[in-house]
């Protein structure tokens, strides 16, 4: 079971695994160049593994890996690269019989949030991985120990000329 890998894709065909008995498993190496997390944030260079285990009603996907997300430091407001590590498992319900193609009823009606294996017997771990990376991001992003702190207003020639004008103005006001 070596040499299997998934490059820049989050969809895996599990038809063969579905035909195997409970407990059968597959492992794949994962490489994702980029994974958009929301309108602004993107996870880059995700490297990890996914292990798929055939259960009775689900396939359990266990993912671990590392990625990097560019965030803005809350103190100095400069962008920096935040390394992120994820390790989680997600069940994908077997929604279609692999032999007959018939749809299988879910356990309860209330589980719209659960992930399913498609009619093509494909499993897409993009959404659970996206959610998991977002959860792992720090609430208060910081570029680290060497953060220069809040940005200072640079005092250049322009500022000096403004100061001179203010000085002239205040002198004028003093005269009145
Ligand atoms: Zn900073």
């Amino acid at each position: 079971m070596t040499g299997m890998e998934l490059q820049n894709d989050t969809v895996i065909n599990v038809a063969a695994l579905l035909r195997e008995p409970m407990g059968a498993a597959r492992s794949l190496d994962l490489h994702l160049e980029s994974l958009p997390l929301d309108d602004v944030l993107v996870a880059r260079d995700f490297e990890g593994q996914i292990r798929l285990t055939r259960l009775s009603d689900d396939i359990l996907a266990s993912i671990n890996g590392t990625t990097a997300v560019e965030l803005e430091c809350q103190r100095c407001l400069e962008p920096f690269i935040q390394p992120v590590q994820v390790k989680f498992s997600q069940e994908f319900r077997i929604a279609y019989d692999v032999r007959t193609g018939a749809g299988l009823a879910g356990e309860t009606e209330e589980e719209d949030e659960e992930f399913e294996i498609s009619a093509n017997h494909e499993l897409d771990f993009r959404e659970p991985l996206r959610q998991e990376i977002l959860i792992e991001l720090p609430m208060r992003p910081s570029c680290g120990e060497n953060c220069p702190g809040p940005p200072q207003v640079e005092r250049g020639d322009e500022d000096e000329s403004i100061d001179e004008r203010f000085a002239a103005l205040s002198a004028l006001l003093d005269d009145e």
Side-chain angles (χ1 to χ4, degrees), residues 30-37 41-48 63-70 81-88 129-130 132-134 136-137:
L30 301 178
H31 310 280
L32 297 174
E33 234 166 71
S34 69
L35 179 72
L37 300 176
L41 301 175
V42 179
R44 298 195 187 280
D45 297 322
F46 181 90
E47 296 284 342
I63 295 178
N64 70 73
T66 56
T67 184
V69 183
E70 186 177 289
I81 303 296
Q82 172 74 47
V84 180
Q85 201 157 9
V86 292
K87 191 176 196 300
F88 70 101
L129 178 59
R130 184 189 75 83
E132 196 66 23
I133 294 170
L134 279 174
E136 291 297 326
L137 295 180

Side-chain angles (χ1 to χ4, degrees), residues 70-81 141-143 147-149 151:
E70 186 177 289
L71 300 176
E72 184 180 87
C73 176
Q74 207 183 37
R75 289 193 70 217
C76 67
L77 308 182
E78 289 294 325
F80 71 101
I81 303 296
S142 166
C143 66
C147 179

Side-chain angles (χ1 to χ4, degrees), residues 54-161:
R54 209 273 196 221
L55 305 178
S56 59
D57 300 318
D58 310 272
I59 282 184
L60 182 70
S62 300
I63 295 178
N64 70 73
T66 56
T67 184
V69 183
E70 186 177 289
L71 300 176
E72 184 180 87
C73 176
Q74 207 183 37
R75 289 193 70 217
C76 67
L77 308 182
E78 289 294 325
F80 71 101
I81 303 296
Q82 172 74 47
V84 180
Q85 201 157 9
V86 292
K87 191 176 196 300
F88 70 101
S89 293
Q90 176 66 52
E91 289 176 356
F92 289 82
R93 193 170 73 83
I94 300 170
Y96 297 90
D97 188 294
V98 71
R99 289 175 184 84
T100 66
L104 302 171
E107 287 157 23
T108 64
E109 309 89 46
E110 302 265 327
E111 292 185 68
D112 351 5
E113 296 249 347
E114 76 176 357
F115 295 99
E116 291 187 344
I117 296 164
S118 74
N120 301 325
H121 311 301
E122 287 176 337
L123 165 164
D124 187 352
F125 60 87
R126 173 178 292 267
E127 181 57 19
L129 178 59
R130 184 189 75 83
Q131 291 179 10
E132 196 66 23
I133 294 170
L134 279 174
I135 288 168
E136 291 297 326
L137 295 180
M139 297 286 286
R140 295 168 182 278
S142 166
C143 66
E145 283 174 20
N146 297 324
C147 179
Q152 304 289 320
V153 177
E154 298 256 337
R155 294 185 65 90
D157 292 343
E158 242 177 79
D159 289 326
E160 270 168 37
S161 63

